[in-house]
Amino acid sequence: MNTFENFNLSKALRFAIADLGYERPTPIQEEAFSVVLSGKDVVGIAQTGTGKTFAYMLPILQQLKFSKQVTPRVLILVPTRELVDQLVSNIGGFTEYMNVRTLGVYGESNINIQKQKLLEGVDILVATPGRLFDLAVSKAVKLRDVSQLVIDEVDVMLDLGFRTQLTNLFELLPPRRQNIMFSATMTDEVDALMDEYFVAPERISIAVSGTPLENISQQCYAVKNFHTKANLVAHLLMDKSQFSKVLVFVSNKKIADRLFDILEEQFRSAICIIHSNKSQNYRIRSVEEFEEGSKRILIATDVISRGLDLDRISHVINFDVPTYPENYMHRIGRTGRAEQEGKSILFFTEKEESAKIAIEELMNYHIPEADFPEEVEINNELIPEERTRVAESNYNRNMKIKTEPVGEQEKKEKNQKVNLGGSYKRKLEQKYKKARTRGDKNQNKLKKKRR
Ligand code: AMP
């Protein structure tokens, strides 16, 4: 049986657990304990409410020795100040019987008080990235002794555009440290960050809980492209009585806006949208209107939609196939709550088929495919992300021309390391243009002669 006894915890932690009334570890706590304790980099996929905070704090606290050292040894980064406060209060409960100094810092609050507290000494520092960076740059906090870095709600952090702040902070941290990252959803951005900064991270996730799959009827459509998907979703949404409260999931803000612009013409009074580029007020209003029923269609991205406890959703439409199968489980868990039967519809293009298969493997269930309705127009026009472009062929007509989807190419460019190294050699190459063909070589020779 899973009990806290198996963890061999210190007395102080056992007392705290008893006070908190926790009887046994939650699944994510079970999974995380030994992995975090091992010192490896860890990526945990778990939503709020699963006990994820204690999942990473428990092994950290089990290892944390008493110290009078002033500089923090554990750094926890979170996206919002509310979360800073919440975490500091949670950690207060966990460390009730320990001699541990925890401090929360965030922007738009008195920096001088924070500086003073830092001078007094801190073991665990909980911070939002922006304020921490300011404090570090002004030397009010030294991060050289941080041996464990936790980034919580990393998906939200990246979705809100904090990547640069995060990477700036990484530069100030000692390279030898344990990285622990928790995210409710897996996104390409999370994946890229992990790839770049984590060393062989161990991934832990728990089976997605919530609505059992039997409560959800699933269906999928093979659809040619974005515009045809838009035609199909519009066709389905015309049936007001069946599609009475519909959550349409899309993978990113750009697609969300694009789809909203198209559907707005037809469903003006019935549709709303939320994603992280919309203001807080706009988001709140959209969710309220959807909840109370004055709008029956809500377009949402994966990251922003979590945390919404929406009721009586008739359909979840997956406008695209999530790259990470867990996200599909989170999406469809939005329907079929409270014993009602929910309905989920998935659109997939040829390119998305492999992601769909991965989801089916995770569920051990083959999603039945519906026939594409004859009355829905197939639109062959492509959006920029779907177009392919011809990669440079180095002027050699005999070479096989490589084509790549534009989005992929851009992603690769973005992900390229900035420090290319060998700057002297590079400058020379720029000057003389690296010879790729015999023609180039001759050109270079000519340039040299002219000099
Ligand atoms: P979190 O996912 O970290 O936001 O935690 C969600 C809630 O679960 C919090 O109110 C915790 O106090 C509570 N919690 C955490 N671990 C346990 C546990 N092992 N047993 C019961 N409740 C827990």
Side-chain angles (χ1 to χ4, degrees), residues 4 17 20-26 28-29 47-55 86 90 94 152:
F4 283 114
I17 289 171
L20 290 163
Y22 298 170
E23 282 170 12
R24 56 182 57 87
T26 64
I28 194 72
Q29 288 164 4
Q47 291 193 297
T48 304
T50 53
K52 65 174 168 90
T53 316
F54 204 43
Q86 190 188 315
N90 286 351
F94 306 154
D152 200 352

Side-chain angles (χ1 to χ4, degrees), residues 193-358:
L193 188 81
M194 194 167 80
D195 248 20
E196 203 166 339
Y197 293 97
F198 281 30
V199 182
E202 187 137 331
R203 193 168 152 172
I204 51 175
S205 65
I206 43 161
V208 180
S209 58
T211 318
L213 284 176
E214 307 85 69
N215 270 11
I216 304 169
S217 85
Q218 301 181 59
Q219 209 180 27
C220 63
Y221 288 93
V223 193
K224 199 161 177 189
N225 53 27
F226 171 85
H227 281 294
T228 311
K229 284 180 175 181
N231 290 347
L232 178 59
V233 81
H235 168 79
L236 296 173
L237 290 173
M238 279 193 309
D239 183 349
K240 278 189 205 161
S241 64
Q242 283 288 318
F243 288 76
S244 56
K245 192 170 184 182
V246 188
L247 193 50
V248 182
F249 274 110
V250 291
S251 57
N252 65 59
K253 307 167 212 183
K254 227 172 166 178
I255 299 285
D257 282 332
R258 225 188 264 282
L259 181 63
F260 182 75
D261 289 345
I262 293 174
L263 295 182
E264 204 196 3
E265 283 178 28
Q266 197 175 343
F267 300 98
R268 190 172 297 273
S269 59
I271 192 164
C272 50
I273 178 172
I274 50 166
H275 60 61
S276 62
N277 275 5
K278 301 283 176 199
S279 72
Q280 181 87 2
N281 282 345
Y282 185 98
R283 277 168 9 205
I284 293 171
R285 197 174 62 237
S286 290
V287 173
E288 274 173 6
E289 286 173 340
F290 185 64
E291 257 311 59
E292 73 193 20
S294 61
K295 301 270 162 98
R296 84 183 152 94
I297 307 156
L298 176 64
I299 300 179
T301 55
D302 287 296
V303 177
I304 209 73
S305 72
R306 72 193 189 76
L308 300 180
D309 193 15
L310 299 169
D311 221 15
R312 294 168 284 105
I313 288 176
S314 70
H315 292 77
V316 164
I317 297 184
N318 300 276
F319 190 79
D320 44 33
V321 186
T323 325
Y324 303 95
E326 295 97 335
N327 292 359
Y328 178 79
M329 308 298 283
H330 290 153
R331 287 177 175 190
I332 68 168
R334 299 310 185 132
T335 183
R337 293 188 157 188
E339 309 295 310
Q340 297 163 337
E341 178 165 281
K343 295 194 176 62
S344 164
I345 296 173
L346 173 73
F347 295 172
F348 68 99
T349 61
E350 202 180 330
K351 242 179 76 187
E352 291 173 318
E353 192 163 8
S354 55
K356 172 177 112 32
I357 293 169

Side-chain angles (χ1 to χ4, degrees), residues 102-138:
T102 306
L103 176 69
V105 295
Y106 44 75
E108 288 167 49
S109 57
N110 193 324
I111 198 165
N112 291 325
I113 297 177
Q114 294 172 359
K115 283 181 179 173
Q116 184 53 40
K117 293 239 172 83
L118 285 163
L119 276 177
E120 289 164 19
V122 170
D123 299 301
I124 302 174
L125 183 61
V126 187
T128 50
R131 173 54 58 96
L132 181 67
F133 190 71
D134 292 346
L135 288 164
V137 170
S138 66

